[in-house]
Amino acid sequence: KAGVTQTPRYLIKTRGQQVTLSCSPISGHRSVSWYQQTPGQGLQFLFEYFSETQRNKGNFPGRFSGRQFSNSRSEMNVSTLELGDSALYLCASSAGLAGAIRDTQYFGPGTRLTVL
Amino acid sequence: GESVGLHLPTLSVQEGDNSIINCAYSNSASDYFIWYKQESGKGPQFIIDIRSNMDKRQGQRVTVLLNKTVKHLSLQIAATQPGDSAVYFCAENQGSTLGRLYFGRGTQLTVWP
């Protein structure tokens, strides 16, 4: 099975711009979660989508948004970029079924976003 | 805030020795725990997991121990190899929040030849 893929791998943007990142989950996985990783804050949860619906949301401002398509692929968008948004953005996929004994999340390689 | 933390930010071991990486958690509702390995420039890679109804789980060269009484998790790596050098994260999932993992800060493991 192919793993989780993320595009693009690297992005450079300037303050005030907006950016869209894409994530393709493992085949058959219906849950996609997004995380932001920075040296100062570590791995922080952004949101999770399951069957095209946002099921969980972290403590990030409304500039961070996402969506999921019927094929489970997901995108996240960051509007009005700030310098502090520079980070590695990771997505992870899992089966996401309630009551599952184990709901292991598998991560993609991430998108490295640099805001200048 | 994050409910999972790590006791040591760095750990250096000699090749062939055993490594033990520790993790503390504070949420009694956590029922599923995962260890990830992250190499430079890559995403976290699944190593091993454990449910809260277990105390120990073994994989290939790795063992995870869970002590619910003191809310402590550890990862043991046997015969550590240079390829094991990476940052190791423990993560927890609370059954009521599917799809969301709470991560510790990570431990940098360095293996010396």
Side-chain angles (χ1 to χ4, degrees):
Chain A
K1 259 188 191 177
V4 178
T5 59
Q6 292 187 246
T7 56
R9 293 293 312 278
Y10 303 92
L11 265 179
I12 300 176
K13 293 285 188 179
T14 57
R15 279 181 300 174
Q17 287 187 309
Q18 66 95 26
V19 67
T20 299
L21 313 181
S22 180
C23 172
S24 292
I26 292 171
S27 178
H29 283 184
R30 295 166 62 189
S31 169
V32 174
S33 300
W34 288 90
Y35 296 84
Q36 180 195 65
Q37 186 176 28
T38 60
Q41 299 298 319
L43 275 148
Q44 293 189 292
F45 173 79
L46 282 155
F47 31 65
E48 183 246 357
Y49 286 86
F50 179 82
S51 292
E52 302 180 64
T53 301
Q54 187 181 84
R55 191 163 60 173
N56 284 296
K57 188 178 188 304
N59 299 322
F60 278 81
R63 299 185 298 107
F64 292 82
S65 63
R67 59 177 176 169
Q68 187 180 35
F69 302 95
S70 59
N71 62 357
S72 294
R73 190 177 69 85
S74 177
E75 289 181 346
M76 69 162 281
N77 183 276
V78 187
S79 62
T80 319
L81 284 165
E82 301 176 0
L83 295 179
D85 296 333
S86 293
L88 181 66
Y89 290 89
L90 294 158
C91 84
S93 78
S94 70
L97 299 175
I101 294 175
R102 296 158 61 202
D103 190 42
T104 306
Q105 291 190 16
Y106 297 92
F107 283 82
T111 294
R112 173 71 63 185
L113 172 65
T114 301
V115 182
L116 302 176
Chain B
E2 303 292 342
S3 62
V4 180
L6 289 165
H7 295 309
L8 296 173
T10 62
L11 177 65
S12 296
V13 300
Q14 194 154 25
E15 182 178 0
D17 287 351
N18 297 332
S19 302
I20 299 176
I21 301 172
N22 295 303
C23 179
Y25 66 96
S26 58
N27 194 326
S28 300
S30 296
D31 57 4
Y32 178 52
F33 304 87
I34 310 172
W35 280 100
Y36 288 95
K37 169 187 179 184
Q38 187 175 26
E39 297 173 283
S40 182
K42 297 183 179 180
Q45 175 189 354
F46 172 85
I47 301 173
I48 191 167
D49 58 1
I50 189 167
R51 290 278 297 182
S52 58
N53 60 352
M54 302 174 69
D55 297 322
K56 179 180 179 179
R57 192 154 190 252
Q58 287 184 290
Q60 187 176 10
R61 284 200 306 119
V62 294
T63 300
V64 55
L65 299 177
L66 176 62
N67 186 329
K68 294 180 286 293
T69 302
V70 296
K71 298 190 186 71
H72 183 268
L73 193 68
S74 68
L75 176 70
Q76 300 178 1
I77 304 174
T80 315
Q81 303 168 358
D84 294 327
S85 293
V87 177
Y88 289 80
F89 294 95
C90 62
E92 65 174 305
N93 178 254
Q94 299 158 16
S96 61
T97 55
L98 280 173
R100 178 173 187 165
L101 291 176
Y102 295 84
F103 281 85
R105 297 285 293 175
T107 293
Q108 173 70 59
L109 174 65
T110 302
V111 182
W112 300 97

Short mmCIF file of all heavy atoms in Angstrom, two decimals, chain A residues 4 20-34 47-56 65-77 91-97, chain B residues 99:
data_model
loop_
_atom_site.label_atom_id
_atom_site.label_comp_id
_atom_site.label_asym_id
_atom_site.label_seq_id
_atom_site.Cartn_x
_atom_site.Cartn_y
_atom_site.Cartn_z
N VAL A 4 1.10 7.79 3.10
CA VAL A 4 0.49 9.11 3.04
C VAL A 4 1.40 10.03 2.22
O VAL A 4 2.61 10.05 2.43
CB VAL A 4 0.32 9.69 4.46
CG1 VAL A 4 -0.28 11.09 4.39
CG2 VAL A 4 -0.54 8.77 5.32
N THR A 20 -2.21 26.76 0.22
CA THR A 20 -3.01 25.53 0.29
C THR A 20 -2.08 24.33 0.22
O THR A 20 -1.23 24.24 -0.68
CB THR A 20 -4.02 25.45 -0.86
OG1 THR A 20 -4.92 26.57 -0.77
CG2 THR A 20 -4.83 24.17 -0.78
N LEU A 21 -2.23 23.44 1.18
CA LEU A 21 -1.43 22.21 1.24
C LEU A 21 -2.35 21.02 1.01
O LEU A 21 -3.51 21.03 1.42
CB LEU A 21 -0.76 22.08 2.61
CG LEU A 21 -0.05 23.31 3.17
CD1 LEU A 21 0.58 22.98 4.52
CD2 LEU A 21 0.98 23.83 2.20
N SER A 22 -1.81 19.99 0.39
CA SER A 22 -2.62 18.83 0.05
C SER A 22 -2.09 17.56 0.70
O SER A 22 -0.89 17.39 0.89
CB SER A 22 -2.64 18.67 -1.47
OG SER A 22 -3.43 17.56 -1.85
N CYS A 23 -3.02 16.66 1.00
CA CYS A 23 -2.68 15.39 1.65
C CYS A 23 -3.53 14.27 1.05
O CYS A 23 -4.75 14.39 0.98
CB CYS A 23 -2.92 15.49 3.15
SG CYS A 23 -2.74 13.94 4.04
N SER A 24 -2.88 13.20 0.63
CA SER A 24 -3.58 12.02 0.16
C SER A 24 -3.36 10.89 1.17
O SER A 24 -2.20 10.49 1.40
CB SER A 24 -3.10 11.60 -1.23
OG SER A 24 -3.47 12.54 -2.19
N PRO A 25 -4.43 10.38 1.76
CA PRO A 25 -4.28 9.36 2.82
C PRO A 25 -3.98 7.99 2.24
O PRO A 25 -4.05 7.78 1.02
CB PRO A 25 -5.64 9.37 3.51
CG PRO A 25 -6.59 9.75 2.42
CD PRO A 25 -5.84 10.72 1.55
N ILE A 26 -3.67 7.07 3.12
CA ILE A 26 -3.50 5.68 2.73
C ILE A 26 -4.84 5.17 2.22
O ILE A 26 -5.90 5.51 2.77
CB ILE A 26 -3.03 4.85 3.94
CG1 ILE A 26 -1.60 5.25 4.31
CG2 ILE A 26 -3.13 3.36 3.68
CD1 ILE A 26 -1.10 4.66 5.62
N SER A 27 -4.80 4.38 1.18
CA SER A 27 -6.02 3.86 0.57
C SER A 27 -6.88 3.15 1.62
O SER A 27 -6.40 2.29 2.37
CB SER A 27 -5.65 2.88 -0.55
OG SER A 27 -6.81 2.32 -1.12
N GLY A 28 -8.15 3.53 1.67
CA GLY A 28 -9.07 2.92 2.63
C GLY A 28 -9.21 3.71 3.92
O GLY A 28 -10.16 3.48 4.68
N HIS A 29 -8.29 4.61 4.19
CA HIS A 29 -8.39 5.44 5.39
C HIS A 29 -9.36 6.59 5.14
O HIS A 29 -9.29 7.25 4.11
CB HIS A 29 -7.02 5.98 5.79
CG HIS A 29 -6.16 4.96 6.46
ND1 HIS A 29 -4.91 5.28 6.98
CD2 HIS A 29 -6.35 3.65 6.72
CE1 HIS A 29 -4.38 4.20 7.53
NE2 HIS A 29 -5.24 3.19 7.37
N ARG A 30 -10.21 6.83 6.11
CA ARG A 30 -11.20 7.89 5.95
C ARG A 30 -10.94 9.10 6.85
O ARG A 30 -11.61 10.11 6.72
CB ARG A 30 -12.60 7.32 6.23
CG ARG A 30 -13.01 6.27 5.21
CD ARG A 30 -14.21 5.47 5.67
NE ARG A 30 -15.39 6.30 5.86
CZ ARG A 30 -16.51 5.85 6.41
NH1 ARG A 30 -16.58 4.61 6.86
NH2 ARG A 30 -17.56 6.65 6.53
N SER A 31 -10.00 8.96 7.77
CA SER A 31 -9.69 10.07 8.67
C SER A 31 -8.37 10.70 8.28
O SER A 31 -7.38 9.99 8.04
CB SER A 31 -9.62 9.56 10.11
OG SER A 31 -9.09 10.56 10.98
N VAL A 32 -8.37 12.02 8.21
CA VAL A 32 -7.13 12.76 7.96
C VAL A 32 -6.99 13.82 9.05
O VAL A 32 -7.90 14.63 9.26
CB VAL A 32 -7.12 13.43 6.57
CG1 VAL A 32 -5.88 14.31 6.42
CG2 VAL A 32 -7.15 12.37 5.47
N SER A 33 -5.85 13.81 9.72
CA SER A 33 -5.56 14.79 10.76
C SER A 33 -4.39 15.64 10.32
O SER A 33 -3.48 15.17 9.64
CB SER A 33 -5.20 14.08 12.08
OG SER A 33 -6.27 13.27 12.52
N TRP A 34 -4.39 16.89 10.72
CA TRP A 34 -3.32 17.82 10.39
C TRP A 34 -2.64 18.30 11.68
O TRP A 34 -3.31 18.58 12.69
CB TRP A 34 -3.87 19.03 9.63
CG TRP A 34 -4.30 18.73 8.22
CD1 TRP A 34 -5.54 18.33 7.81
CD2 TRP A 34 -3.50 18.83 7.04
NE1 TRP A 34 -5.56 18.16 6.45
CE2 TRP A 34 -4.32 18.47 5.95
CE3 TRP A 34 -2.18 19.20 6.80
CZ2 TRP A 34 -3.85 18.47 4.64
CZ3 TRP A 34 -1.71 19.19 5.49
CH2 TRP A 34 -2.54 18.83 4.43
N PHE A 47 -6.59 20.07 13.10
CA PHE A 47 -7.96 19.56 12.94
C PHE A 47 -7.94 18.18 12.32
O PHE A 47 -6.91 17.73 11.81
CB PHE A 47 -8.84 20.51 12.09
CG PHE A 47 -8.12 21.29 11.03
CD1 PHE A 47 -7.52 20.64 9.95
CD2 PHE A 47 -8.04 22.67 11.10
CE1 PHE A 47 -6.86 21.36 8.98
CE2 PHE A 47 -7.38 23.40 10.14
CZ PHE A 47 -6.78 22.75 9.07
N GLU A 48 -9.11 17.56 12.36
CA GLU A 48 -9.27 16.22 11.81
C GLU A 48 -10.55 16.15 11.02
O GLU A 48 -11.59 16.70 11.44
CB GLU A 48 -9.28 15.17 12.91
CG GLU A 48 -9.39 13.72 12.40
CD GLU A 48 -10.67 13.03 12.76
OE1 GLU A 48 -11.51 13.62 13.47
OE2 GLU A 48 -10.84 11.86 12.36
N TYR A 49 -10.48 15.50 9.87
CA TYR A 49 -11.63 15.30 9.02
C TYR A 49 -11.93 13.83 8.86
O TYR A 49 -11.01 13.00 8.73
CB TYR A 49 -11.40 15.94 7.65
CG TYR A 49 -11.48 17.44 7.70
CD1 TYR A 49 -10.37 18.21 8.04
CD2 TYR A 49 -12.68 18.10 7.45
CE1 TYR A 49 -10.45 19.58 8.12
CE2 TYR A 49 -12.77 19.48 7.53
CZ TYR A 49 -11.64 20.22 7.86
OH TYR A 49 -11.72 21.58 7.95
N PHE A 50 -13.21 13.54 8.83
CA PHE A 50 -13.66 12.17 8.62
C PHE A 50 -14.92 12.23 7.77
O PHE A 50 -15.87 12.95 8.11
CB PHE A 50 -13.96 11.49 9.96
CG PHE A 50 -14.45 10.08 9.84
CD1 PHE A 50 -13.56 9.03 9.66
CD2 PHE A 50 -15.81 9.79 9.91
CE1 PHE A 50 -14.00 7.73 9.55
CE2 PHE A 50 -16.27 8.49 9.79
CZ PHE A 50 -15.35 7.45 9.61
N SER A 51 -14.91 11.49 6.67
CA SER A 51 -16.06 11.50 5.75
C SER A 51 -16.51 12.91 5.43
O SER A 51 -17.69 13.25 5.55
CB SER A 51 -17.22 10.69 6.36
OG SER A 51 -16.90 9.34 6.40
N GLU A 52 -15.55 13.75 5.06
CA GLU A 52 -15.79 15.12 4.56
C GLU A 52 -16.28 16.08 5.63
O GLU A 52 -16.66 17.22 5.31
CB GLU A 52 -16.78 15.09 3.38
CG GLU A 52 -16.31 14.22 2.22
CD GLU A 52 -17.31 14.20 1.07
OE1 GLU A 52 -17.53 15.27 0.48
OE2 GLU A 52 -17.86 13.12 0.79
N THR A 53 -16.25 15.66 6.90
CA THR A 53 -16.72 16.53 7.99
C THR A 53 -15.59 16.76 8.98
O THR A 53 -14.85 15.83 9.31
CB THR A 53 -17.91 15.87 8.71
OG1 THR A 53 -18.96 15.66 7.78
CG2 THR A 53 -18.41 16.76 9.85
N GLN A 54 -15.49 17.99 9.45
CA GLN A 54 -14.50 18.25 10.49
C GLN A 54 -15.02 17.67 11.80
O GLN A 54 -16.06 18.09 12.33
CB GLN A 54 -14.27 19.76 10.64
CG GLN A 54 -13.12 20.09 11.59
CD GLN A 54 -12.90 21.59 11.74
OE1 GLN A 54 -13.55 22.26 12.54
NE2 GLN A 54 -11.97 22.12 10.95
N ARG A 55 -14.29 16.76 12.35
CA ARG A 55 -14.74 16.05 13.55
C ARG A 55 -14.07 16.60 14.82
O ARG A 55 -14.65 16.55 15.89
CB ARG A 55 -14.47 14.56 13.38
CG ARG A 55 -15.10 13.68 14.42
CD ARG A 55 -15.14 12.23 14.00
NE ARG A 55 -13.84 11.65 13.75
CZ ARG A 55 -13.64 10.35 13.50
NH1 ARG A 55 -14.66 9.52 13.50
NH2 ARG A 55 -12.44 9.89 13.23
N ASN A 56 -12.83 17.07 14.69
CA ASN A 56 -12.12 17.62 15.83
C ASN A 56 -11.34 18.84 15.40
O ASN A 56 -10.87 18.91 14.25
CB ASN A 56 -11.14 16.60 16.42
CG ASN A 56 -11.83 15.54 17.23
OD1 ASN A 56 -12.45 15.83 18.25
ND2 ASN A 56 -11.76 14.31 16.77
N SER A 65 -7.74 26.63 8.02
CA SER A 65 -8.96 25.92 7.68
C SER A 65 -8.61 24.69 6.85
O SER A 65 -7.49 24.55 6.37
CB SER A 65 -9.91 26.82 6.90
OG SER A 65 -9.33 27.21 5.66
N GLY A 66 -9.57 23.82 6.69
CA GLY A 66 -9.33 22.63 5.91
C GLY A 66 -10.60 22.11 5.29
O GLY A 66 -11.69 22.65 5.50
N ARG A 67 -10.43 21.08 4.51
CA ARG A 67 -11.59 20.39 3.95
C ARG A 67 -11.15 19.00 3.52
O ARG A 67 -9.95 18.73 3.36
CB ARG A 67 -12.18 21.16 2.78
CG ARG A 67 -11.25 21.39 1.61
CD ARG A 67 -11.99 22.09 0.48
NE ARG A 67 -11.11 22.44 -0.63
CZ ARG A 67 -11.55 22.85 -1.81
NH1 ARG A 67 -12.84 22.98 -2.03
NH2 ARG A 67 -10.70 23.16 -2.78
N GLN A 68 -12.15 18.17 3.32
CA GLN A 68 -11.88 16.81 2.86
C GLN A 68 -12.82 16.50 1.72
O GLN A 68 -14.01 16.87 1.75
CB GLN A 68 -12.06 15.80 3.99
CG GLN A 68 -11.62 14.39 3.62
CD GLN A 68 -11.79 13.41 4.76
OE1 GLN A 68 -12.73 13.51 5.55
NE2 GLN A 68 -10.89 12.42 4.85
N PHE A 69 -12.31 15.80 0.75
CA PHE A 69 -13.09 15.46 -0.43
C PHE A 69 -13.66 14.05 -0.31
O PHE A 69 -13.29 13.29 0.59
CB PHE A 69 -12.21 15.60 -1.67
CG PHE A 69 -11.64 16.98 -1.84
CD1 PHE A 69 -10.37 17.28 -1.37
CD2 PHE A 69 -12.38 17.99 -2.44
CE1 PHE A 69 -9.84 18.55 -1.50
CE2 PHE A 69 -11.86 19.26 -2.57
CZ PHE A 69 -10.59 19.55 -2.10
N SER A 70 -14.52 13.71 -1.23
CA SER A 70 -15.21 12.41 -1.16
C SER A 70 -14.23 11.24 -1.29
O SER A 70 -14.52 10.12 -0.87
CB SER A 70 -16.29 12.32 -2.24
OG SER A 70 -15.72 12.49 -3.52
N ASN A 71 -13.06 11.46 -1.88
CA ASN A 71 -12.08 10.38 -2.00
C ASN A 71 -11.13 10.37 -0.80
O ASN A 71 -10.09 9.71 -0.83
CB ASN A 71 -11.28 10.52 -3.29
CG ASN A 71 -10.50 11.82 -3.37
OD1 ASN A 71 -10.58 12.66 -2.47
ND2 ASN A 71 -9.74 12.00 -4.44
N SER A 72 -11.46 11.12 0.26
CA SER A 72 -10.71 11.24 1.51
C SER A 72 -9.47 12.13 1.43
O SER A 72 -8.87 12.41 2.46
CB SER A 72 -10.32 9.87 2.08
OG SER A 72 -11.46 9.16 2.47
N ARG A 73 -9.12 12.57 0.24
CA ARG A 73 -8.01 13.53 0.15
C ARG A 73 -8.39 14.79 0.91
O ARG A 73 -9.57 15.16 0.98
CB ARG A 73 -7.71 13.84 -1.30
CG ARG A 73 -6.43 14.64 -1.54
CD ARG A 73 -6.18 14.86 -3.02
NE ARG A 73 -7.15 15.76 -3.64
CZ ARG A 73 -7.03 17.09 -3.64
NH1 ARG A 73 -6.01 17.66 -3.04
NH2 ARG A 73 -7.96 17.81 -4.24
N SER A 74 -7.39 15.45 1.47
CA SER A 74 -7.67 16.62 2.28
C SER A 74 -6.74 17.77 1.90
O SER A 74 -5.62 17.56 1.42
CB SER A 74 -7.49 16.29 3.77
OG SER A 74 -7.70 17.43 4.59
N GLU A 75 -7.23 18.95 2.10
CA GLU A 75 -6.43 20.15 1.92
C GLU A 75 -6.54 21.01 3.17
O GLU A 75 -7.58 20.99 3.85
CB GLU A 75 -6.93 20.97 0.73
CG GLU A 75 -6.66 20.36 -0.62
CD GLU A 75 -7.16 21.23 -1.77
OE1 GLU A 75 -7.95 22.17 -1.51
OE2 GLU A 75 -6.79 20.96 -2.92
N MET A 76 -5.47 21.72 3.46
CA MET A 76 -5.57 22.74 4.50
C MET A 76 -5.12 24.06 3.90
O MET A 76 -4.27 24.11 3.00
CB MET A 76 -4.77 22.39 5.75
CG MET A 76 -3.28 22.41 5.62
SD MET A 76 -2.47 22.50 7.25
CE MET A 76 -2.64 24.24 7.62
N ASN A 77 -5.72 25.12 4.37
CA ASN A 77 -5.45 26.45 3.86
C ASN A 77 -5.07 27.36 5.02
O ASN A 77 -5.66 27.28 6.11
CB ASN A 77 -6.71 26.99 3.16
CG ASN A 77 -6.48 28.34 2.54
OD1 ASN A 77 -6.59 29.36 3.22
ND2 ASN A 77 -6.14 28.36 1.27
N CYS A 91 0.41 15.76 7.83
CA CYS A 91 -0.90 15.14 7.87
C CYS A 91 -0.74 13.66 8.19
O CYS A 91 0.32 13.06 7.91
CB CYS A 91 -1.70 15.37 6.60
SG CYS A 91 -1.37 14.22 5.26
N ALA A 92 -1.75 13.10 8.80
CA ALA A 92 -1.74 11.70 9.18
C ALA A 92 -3.08 11.10 8.82
O ALA A 92 -4.11 11.78 8.91
CB ALA A 92 -1.48 11.55 10.68
N SER A 93 -3.08 9.85 8.42
CA SER A 93 -4.34 9.20 8.11
C SER A 93 -4.54 7.98 8.99
O SER A 93 -3.57 7.36 9.46
CB SER A 93 -4.43 8.83 6.63
OG SER A 93 -3.70 7.66 6.31
N SER A 94 -5.80 7.66 9.21
CA SER A 94 -6.16 6.47 9.97
C SER A 94 -7.53 6.01 9.52
O SER A 94 -8.21 6.71 8.78
CB SER A 94 -6.17 6.76 11.47
OG SER A 94 -7.25 7.60 11.81
N ALA A 95 -7.90 4.83 9.98
CA ALA A 95 -9.22 4.33 9.63
C ALA A 95 -10.29 5.23 10.23
O ALA A 95 -11.33 5.51 9.64
CB ALA A 95 -9.39 2.90 10.11
N GLY A 96 -10.04 5.69 11.47
CA GLY A 96 -10.91 6.67 12.09
C GLY A 96 -12.26 6.17 12.54
O GLY A 96 -13.18 6.96 12.77
N LEU A 97 -12.41 4.87 12.70
CA LEU A 97 -13.72 4.34 13.06
C LEU A 97 -13.93 4.34 14.56
O LEU A 97 -13.08 3.87 15.31
CB LEU A 97 -13.86 2.91 12.53
CG LEU A 97 -13.75 2.78 11.00
CD1 LEU A 97 -13.77 1.31 10.60
CD2 LEU A 97 -14.87 3.54 10.32
N GLY B 99 -9.00 10.67 16.20
CA GLY B 99 -8.29 11.45 15.20
C GLY B 99 -7.37 12.49 15.77
O GLY B 99 -6.69 13.19 15.02
#
